[in-house]
Amino acid sequence: KGDLLDMCKDTDGNLWACGRNGMIMKYDKKKWIIDKIELKMMDVNSSYFLKGIEYFNNAIHGIITSTNKSTLEAKYYYLKGNINNWTICDSINLDFRNPQMRWGYYKLYTNNDLYLYSVGLLGCWKMTNDKWEKILQYNGELYDITGMSNNYLITCSAFKTLKYFDGSSWQDFSHVLKVTDPQFVFNNVWSNGFETIVVGQSNDSKLIVWRGR
């Protein structure tokens, strides 16, 4: 009864999924355990949803987006924990006139539990010693990130932006996919180091999937 917006798997092979109204679900290979993040600081005009979820360092990490329906004010939360034991670690009141982001509110990603990354408005962050460190400044919003190590990362966004990090610099390689539409949106990217899958959408709502290396 609602949208599922992201999912991940922990080291024990359990599946996790998250969605609207703070819903978090865990599948322990036998049954679904359903939990809900309650935000008591929300007012009656606000709605919220878990945009991203990831397993890292023996805990589930999540990002929540909340919006006031009357004022359109946005607030974001970063949390971690486990079923029936969640902690809000940080929150951001977004001022679009002067945005100050400390982590990305759009997507979380970990590569074999080595690092935790987040992407969103104004760039990409990596968690180091429980603190977010910005590793890419971007004038816009990043939608997804993947990679095998801190020296092999790919991130994507609107305006045909597809960037690859080789450990020293970020390079745009959307030209390899021969995209000419300047409004083209790369929504998702995945890689295991041997092959890469990119999903995007054109201005006329045509969905395109690339697979290669």
Side-chain angles (χ1 to χ4, degrees):
K1 296 182 179 180
D3 297 333
L4 292 178
L5 301 175
D6 199 12
M7 65 181 299
C8 68
K9 185 171 69 172
D10 62 27
T11 53
D12 293 327
N14 303 307
L15 295 178
W16 293 77
C18 67
R20 298 199 179 274
N21 300 318
M23 180 176 61
I24 289 184
M25 304 193 305
K26 175 184 177 181
Y27 184 67
D28 64 0
K29 305 173 189 174
K30 295 182 181 180
K31 63 182 182 303
W32 284 99
I33 303 169
I34 300 176
D35 200 1
K36 184 177 181 180
I37 305 297
E38 298 285 355
L39 294 180
K40 300 187 185 328
M41 67 285 292
M42 300 289 294
D43 60 56
V44 294
N45 292 316
S46 297
S47 63
Y48 66 105
F49 55 90
L50 275 152
K51 179 69 176 178
I53 190 171
E54 188 61 275
Y55 181 81
F56 175 73
N57 198 19
N58 299 317
I60 290 292
H61 298 246
I63 43 180
I64 295 178
T65 294
S66 65
T67 305
N68 187 302
K69 299 176 184 178
S70 300
T71 65
L72 300 182
E73 177 187 6
K75 188 170 184 177
Y76 304 95
Y77 302 87
Y78 161 61
L79 63 92
K80 65 178 179 179
N82 213 313
I83 294 293
N84 297 321
N85 184 21
W86 303 101
T87 300
I88 301 292
C89 302
D90 198 1
S91 64
I92 299 173
N93 285 308
L94 183 58
D95 181 356
F96 284 103
R97 294 168 298 180
N98 184 28
Q100 301 291 326
M101 305 303 298
R102 296 186 294 275
W103 35 270
Y105 59 64
Y106 209 93
K107 185 77 173 181
L108 294 172
Y109 174 73
T110 184
N111 41 21
N112 301 319
D113 214 25
L114 295 175
Y115 301 98
L116 181 66
Y117 300 91
S118 64
V119 292
L121 183 65
L122 299 181
C124 174
W125 289 258
K126 179 182 74 171
M127 178 166 283
T128 304
N129 298 324
D130 290 327
K131 294 184 178 180
W132 291 107
E133 170 194 3
K134 180 177 280 191
I135 59 174
L136 171 61
Q137 174 67 34
Y138 180 69
N139 186 26
E141 189 174 50
L142 296 174
Y143 296 150
D144 201 2
I145 183 172
T146 188
M148 294 302 296
S149 70
N150 196 36
N151 298 324
Y152 188 105
L153 297 172
I154 303 172
T155 187
C156 62
S157 183
F159 306 108
K160 66 172 189 176
T161 299
L162 196 62
K163 291 183 176 291
Y164 167 69
F165 183 66
D166 60 5
S168 59
S169 64
W170 290 88
Q171 306 167 29
D172 193 294
F173 70 101
S174 62
H175 61 279
V176 176
L177 305 183
K178 299 180 180 179
V179 175
T180 58
D181 178 6
Q183 302 296 320
F184 194 90
V185 177
F186 290 111
N187 301 105
N188 301 97
V189 61
W190 173 89
S191 179
N192 61 2
F194 299 96
E195 65 174 345
T196 298
I197 295 175
V198 179
V199 180
Q201 186 173 342
S202 65
N203 199 31
D204 58 0
S205 299
K206 181 180 180 181
L207 184 68
I208 303 176
V209 180
W210 289 267
R211 180 185 179 191
R213 62 179 66 198

